[in-house]
């Protein structure tokens, strides 16, 4: 039984509504559908689940209408698709003149008495689902087996082994690329032996193969002895001679670092000369500012370029061939159909996949654009390609725009007023750049006047603590305590290796609260998304310490793998958390963005699959190479030919 059926305009005006059962109104599920699907350009699938309800919807792009039906998701209603199509057609036909003549005023002032028509369509749909013809089995005459003769199904014993022997013998022939040709007049020795043995007794398959192998090796051994020429016995030198490189040093003492007095000794190592300009990169930047990601788009490249060869003049029909060639592909005040858009959408899908967008997401994006444009009336002098491309660009920008703006600086100031540190946890797979981008974010926070405590919770990877210690030393060199009134702006909280990461994070947060640090950045060990014990430990760390922001660090160059990583990290945090409302990933840090040129599809894949915003973008090797996402710049790079 249906819970509700509602018809409303894309402007938000409800035209007609049917309430099937007594219960909560359809406001909450329909609002969730609008927020999560219609506004986020996720209309590739016509089904949406909200709590215990399943919502199916249909768009009318000509009159800007939305038809939504809701029912309990535990029910299997086979007539819903037919019902929503019938209601759509009936409602359009009944009020077509009102929509066309009055327009928006027709929606505001119109009275839509559609209850009787809807109940009739509902009864017809329910009856059609009940009266279904039973599945009729095929007769023997309709099957493929009846078309075969008895002779082709008879297998003669002994035929298959002979074929296998011939095939294996052909495989063992010479590797000169020529095929072996069987000559009936000249039988091979193996065939003669086989026929002779067949007179006495029947040989098994293994015996036949063994005889063929013996004959093959005997024939090749005789040929090898004839062709082998005698060589003088050369005395082999015992031992190995060291290889002498052309530009190398023959003195081995120069390369000897086995002296314990110098190897690994801190006193013997030269003092590191730290250059602040190398760590900062850009000298003309504004301190503390997070610049937007920039990309130069190629606007002059058009989607349809007709290249004509001057040596081959085009054939004109009646003197108007050139004019008709110019106007080819233009649509003049007609409704777009799926057949018109399919060739363009297929090219768009291949283009998105080539730019590292996950294949499944590329298909859903093109399907969403098709549903958004199907039935829409196009203006004069507008091509189908330009219309589809424009709609796809708008959809991509809408996807990259975050549903909830993550303002880290404002949240840190709110935590300051509450006299507690703002806690950020970094998670991700191995080698994506968690520690490096943590140091970049630390530098950005320090330049905005906030003190940072780095919690070294990666107690597994060798060198993880030393890496953070080096970053801490360099950050303190760039921002010494003398420049901040004697206050140390960044410190490292470490407990060594092999310890519980959740316990270290808890101690670090308590230490930051007592010492008055503004931000705590928790570095965790890299782990694969399929490693259940490590994902359980990460869920424990997040559940115990309740950080303010959980950031997933992902690479921009992984393509389809980014979707799998992000989905499984989110699922693992939900499955392994003991809380009723588990804490999931809040945002994304997209690293190595400078290594992909214009193949920026991973940004689309990550934001589309989880609706999580990309908070930071890492683009280089210096502390200043941190950017905020610019949706229009990413889409311009993605749509570049």
């Amino acid at each position: 039984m249906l819970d509700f059926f509602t018809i409303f305009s894309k402007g938000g005006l409800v035209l007609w509504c049917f309430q099937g059962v007594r219960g909560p109104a359809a406001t909450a599920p329909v609002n969730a559908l609008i927020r999560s699907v219609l506004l986020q350009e996720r209309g590739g699938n016509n089904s949406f689940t909200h709590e215990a309800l399943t919502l199916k919807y249909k768009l009318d792009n000509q009159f800007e209408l939305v038809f939504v039906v809701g029912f309990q998701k535990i029910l299997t209603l086979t007539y819903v698709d037919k019902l929503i199509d019938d209601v759509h057609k009936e409602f359009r036909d009944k009020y077509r003149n009102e929509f066309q003549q009055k327009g928006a005023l027709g929606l505001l002032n119109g009275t839509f008495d559609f209850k009787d028509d809807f109940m009739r369509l509902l009864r017809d749909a329910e009856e059609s689902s009940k009266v279904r013809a039973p599945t009729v089995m095929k007769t023997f005459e309709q099957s493929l087996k009846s078309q075969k003769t008895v002779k082709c199904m008879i297998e003669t014993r002994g035929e298959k082994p002979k074929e296998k022997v011939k095939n294996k013998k052909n495989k063992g022939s010479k590797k000169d690329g020529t095929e072996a040709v069987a000559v009936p007049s000249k039988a091979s020795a193996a065939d003669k032996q086989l026929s002779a043995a067949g007179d006495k007794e029947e040989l098994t398959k293994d015996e036949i193969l063994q005889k063929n192998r013996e004959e093959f090796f005997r024939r090749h051994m005789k040929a090898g002895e004839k062709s082998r020429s005698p060589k003088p016995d050369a005395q082999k030198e015992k031992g190995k001679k060291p290889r002498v490189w052309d530009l190398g040093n023959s003195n081995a003492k120069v390369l000897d670092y086995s002296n314990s007095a110098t190897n690994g000794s801190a006193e013997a190592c030269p003092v590191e000369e730290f250059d602040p300009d190398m760590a900062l990169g850009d000298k003309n930047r504004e301190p503390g500012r997070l610049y937007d990601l920039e990309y130069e788009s190629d606007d002059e490249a058009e989607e349809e370029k007709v290249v004509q060869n001057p040596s081959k003049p085009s054939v004109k029909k009646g003197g108007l061939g050139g004019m008709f060639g110019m106007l080819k592909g233009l649509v003049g005040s007609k409704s777009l159909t799926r057949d018109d858009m399919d060739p363009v959408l297929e090219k768009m899908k291949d283009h998105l996949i080539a730019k590292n967008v996950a294949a499944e997401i590329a298909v859903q994006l093109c399907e969403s654009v098709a549903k958004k444009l199907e039935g829409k009336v196009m203006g004069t002098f507008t091509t189908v390609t330009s219309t589809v491309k424009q709609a796809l660009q708008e959809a991509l920008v809408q996807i990259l725009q975050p549903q909830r703006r993550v303002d880290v600086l404002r949240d840190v100031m709110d935590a300051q007023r509450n006299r507690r540190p703002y806690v950020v946890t970094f998670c991700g797979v191995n080698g994506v750049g968690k520690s490096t981008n943590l140091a970049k974010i630390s530098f950005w926070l320090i330049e905005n006047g906030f003190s940072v405590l780095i919690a070294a919770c990666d107690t597994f990877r060798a060198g993880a603590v030393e890496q953070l210690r080096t970053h801490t030393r360099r950050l303190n060199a760039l921002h010494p305590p003398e420049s901040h009134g004697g206050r140390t702006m960044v410190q490292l909280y470490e407990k060594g290796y092999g310890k519980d990461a959740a316990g270290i994070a808890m101690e670090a947060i308590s230490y930051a609260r007592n010492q008055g640090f503004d931000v705590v950045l928790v570095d965790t060990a890299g782990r694969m998304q399929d490693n259940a014990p490590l994902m359980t430990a990460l869920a424990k760390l997040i559940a115990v310490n309740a950080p303010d922001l959980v950031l997933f660090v992902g690479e921009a160059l992984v393509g389809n793998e980014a979707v799998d990583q992000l989905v499984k990290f989110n699922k693992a945090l939900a499955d392994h958390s003991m809380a009723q409302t588990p804490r999931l990933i809040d945002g994304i840090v997209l690293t190595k963005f400078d290594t992909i040129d214009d193949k920026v599809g991973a940004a689309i894949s990550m934001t589309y699959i989880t609706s999580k915003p990309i908070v930071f973008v890492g683009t280089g090797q210096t502390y200043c190479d941190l950017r905020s996402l610019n949706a229009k710049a990413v889409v311009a790079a993605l749509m570049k030919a």
Side-chain angles (χ1 to χ4, degrees):
M1 188 174 183
L2 301 182
D3 282 34
F4 64 88
F5 195 110
T6 181
I7 305 172
F8 59 93
S9 66
K10 290 186 178 180
L13 183 64
V14 179
L15 305 181
W16 182 83
C17 184
F18 165 77
Q19 192 75 25
V21 296
R22 292 183 179 180
T27 307
V30 171
N31 287 341
L33 172 70
I34 294 172
R35 285 194 305 268
S36 303
V37 178
L38 301 182
L39 294 181
Q40 291 296 318
E41 301 293 343
R42 302 173 192 273
N45 189 6
N46 65 343
S47 180
F48 173 71
T49 302
H50 175 72
E51 295 179 354
L53 293 178
T54 296
L55 278 69
K56 289 196 173 185
Y57 59 94
K58 185 177 181 64
L59 303 179
D60 188 316
N61 297 303
Q62 183 177 358
F63 299 131
E64 302 292 328
L65 301 177
V66 183
F67 298 78
V68 182
V69 58
F71 54 93
Q72 296 293 322
K73 64 181 180 181
I74 61 174
L75 301 178
T76 304
L77 303 181
T78 58
Y79 61 85
V80 171
D81 293 331
K82 181 180 184 304
L83 174 65
I84 199 169
D85 290 338
D86 293 343
V87 171
H88 170 233
K89 183 178 179 181
E90 186 81 13
F91 193 83
R92 275 174 52 98
D93 295 343
K94 186 173 183 179
Y95 301 103
R96 177 186 297 272
N97 295 331
E98 195 167 345
F99 293 147
Q100 289 178 345
Q101 295 175 3
K102 299 181 180 180
L105 292 177
L107 297 178
L108 292 173
N109 302 326
T111 56
F112 302 95
D113 186 10
F114 195 67
K115 184 177 180 180
D116 296 336
D117 298 325
F118 176 78
M119 298 304 297
R120 173 176 53 82
L121 295 174
L122 179 60
R123 286 193 299 268
D124 294 343
E126 290 177 346
E127 291 297 329
S128 65
S129 64
K130 294 178 182 178
V131 183
R132 276 189 174 183
T135 305
V136 181
M137 297 182 64
K138 289 183 178 181
T139 61
F140 178 75
E141 288 75 12
Q142 296 174 346
S143 64
L144 296 176
K145 192 173 182 180
S146 63
Q147 301 175 6
K148 296 181 180 180
T149 61
V150 179
K151 183 178 180 181
C152 69
M153 292 187 287
I154 297 177
E155 297 180 358
T156 306
R157 185 179 180 183
E159 288 183 357
K160 287 188 177 181
K162 290 181 181 179
E163 294 176 358
K164 291 182 179 179
V165 170
K166 291 180 181 178
N167 292 336
K168 291 188 177 181
K169 185 179 178 182
N170 292 336
K171 290 181 181 178
S173 60
K174 296 181 181 180
K175 299 180 180 179
D176 55 356
T178 60
E179 298 180 357
V181 180
V183 181
S185 60
K186 297 182 180 180
S188 62
D191 293 335
K192 292 179 180 179
Q193 291 181 1
L194 183 60
S195 59
D199 298 337
K200 297 180 180 179
E201 58 181 357
E202 185 179 358
L203 297 178
T204 63
K205 185 201 274 185
D206 295 336
E207 292 176 351
I208 294 172
L209 294 177
Q210 184 65 25
K211 285 183 175 294
N212 290 337
R213 290 195 191 101
E214 292 176 358
E215 180 63 26
F216 177 77
F217 287 123
R218 191 182 305 112
R219 186 167 58 252
H220 279 267
M221 288 295 291
K222 291 179 180 180
E225 290 177 357
K226 293 179 181 178
S227 61
R228 189 180 300 127
S229 59
K231 295 182 179 179
D233 296 335
Q235 296 181 355
K236 294 183 180 180
E237 299 179 358
K238 297 181 179 180
K240 293 183 178 179
K241 286 186 176 182
R243 183 171 184 176
V244 180
W245 299 93
D246 296 336
L247 300 178
N249 196 332
S250 60
N251 189 4
K253 294 182 179 180
V254 179
L255 304 176
D256 188 7
Y257 291 98
S258 61
N259 189 358
S260 59
T262 59
N263 188 25
S265 177
E267 292 79 4
C269 294
V271 180
E272 179 184 2
E273 295 182 359
F274 181 67
D275 186 7
D277 294 336
M278 177 181 285
L280 297 181
D282 188 8
K283 299 179 182 179
N284 300 323
R285 62 183 183 83
E286 182 181 346
R289 180 181 175 185
L290 192 63
Y291 289 90
D292 288 339
L293 193 67
E294 296 180 358
Y295 187 85
E296 295 181 359
S297 61
D298 190 8
D299 293 335
E300 53 270 1
E302 294 293 334
E303 66 278 353
E304 290 184 6
K305 290 185 177 180
V306 182
V307 180
Q308 295 184 356
N309 191 353
S311 62
K312 296 180 180 180
S314 58
V315 179
K316 297 183 179 181
K317 295 182 179 180
L320 297 177
M323 180 63 69
F324 287 130
M326 286 176 54
L327 300 179
K328 183 180 180 181
L330 298 183
V331 180
S333 300
K334 64 165 286 189
S335 298
L336 274 178
T337 63
R338 190 60 182 264
D339 294 336
D340 297 334
M341 295 183 290
D342 279 344
V344 182
L345 289 173
E346 189 67 25
K347 293 181 180 179
M348 293 293 179
K349 182 191 71 174
D350 296 340
H351 178 77
L352 292 176
I353 294 174
K355 291 299 181 74
N356 262 358
V357 179
E360 181 182 356
I361 294 175
V363 173
Q364 293 179 8
L365 277 171
C366 294
E367 188 68 23
S368 177
V369 170
K371 289 187 176 181
K372 183 179 179 181
L373 294 178
E374 189 174 3
K376 188 174 182 180
V377 178
M378 307 304 301
T380 312
F381 298 103
T382 305
T383 62
V384 178
T385 303
S386 62
T387 304
V388 173
K389 185 177 180 180
Q390 181 66 26
L392 183 60
Q393 286 180 338
E394 294 174 358
L396 293 173
V397 172
Q398 189 67 32
I399 288 170
L400 289 176
Q401 295 290 349
Q403 295 183 4
R404 180 180 66 90
R405 183 71 177 174
V406 179
D407 194 342
V408 178
L409 298 181
R410 185 188 63 184
D411 295 340
V412 172
M413 288 187 287
D414 291 341
Q416 274 184 333
R417 286 191 288 268
N418 296 326
R419 296 181 179 180
R420 66 174 184 84
Y422 184 79
V423 183
V424 183
T425 300
F426 296 81
C427 63
V429 301
N430 310 71
V432 294
K434 291 185 295 298
S435 301
T436 303
N437 285 271
L438 182 146
K440 293 181 181 181
I441 296 173
S442 300
F443 178 77
W444 174 66
L445 291 170
I446 294 169
E447 286 203 331
N448 283 279
F450 300 113
S451 58
V452 179
L453 179 67
I454 300 176
C457 295
D458 186 356
T459 60
F460 178 76
R461 178 172 62 90
V465 179
E466 288 77 10
Q467 182 182 4
L468 292 178
R469 189 181 297 132
T470 302
H471 282 304
T472 304
R473 187 172 66 250
R474 291 203 164 194
L475 290 172
N476 281 322
L478 291 171
H479 289 276
E482 295 80 15
S483 302
H484 298 274
R487 183 186 184 189
T488 303
M489 297 303 292
V490 57
Q491 287 187 21
L492 177 65
Y493 190 88
E494 56 166 306
K495 289 294 183 180
Y497 295 94
K499 306 294 179 60
D500 181 31
I504 295 176
M506 181 181 294
E507 295 176 9
I509 295 171
S510 177
Y511 178 81
R513 185 181 294 108
N514 297 332
Q515 298 298 322
F517 282 92
D518 299 322
V519 184
V520 178
L521 302 181
V522 181
D523 185 29
T524 61
R527 64 203 75 208
M528 295 305 295
Q529 63 269 23
D530 297 319
N531 194 326
L534 294 182
M535 295 306 299
T536 305
L538 178 63
K540 173 189 172 184
L541 185 148
I542 294 175
V544 168
N545 297 284
D548 298 282
L549 186 65
V550 179
L551 294 179
F552 174 82
V553 185
E555 289 180 326
L557 48 83
V558 293
N560 294 351
E561 182 66 15
V563 177
D564 185 66
Q565 292 174 2
L566 193 53
V567 169
K568 289 188 177 179
F569 260 81
N570 234 5
K571 186 176 184 301
L573 293 180
D575 293 343
H576 300 299
S577 178
M578 304 302 295
Q580 293 182 353
T581 56
R583 184 63 184 278
L584 304 179
I585 293 170
D586 300 317
I588 301 169
V589 179
L590 196 58
T591 65
K592 306 177 184 179
F593 206 80
D594 55 324
T595 64
I596 56 173
D597 193 22
D598 58 350
K599 296 185 178 181
V600 295
I604 300 294
S605 301
M606 287 183 174
T607 52
Y608 185 89
I609 201 67
T610 58
S611 302
K612 304 300 180 183
I614 298 178
V615 185
F616 301 105
V617 178
T619 59
Q621 304 295 329
T622 63
Y623 289 134
C624 299
D625 295 326
L626 197 66
R627 299 287 184 267
S628 62
L629 185 72
N630 187 349
K632 293 184 178 179
V634 174
V635 173
L638 190 68
M639 299 303 293
K640 182 181 178 182

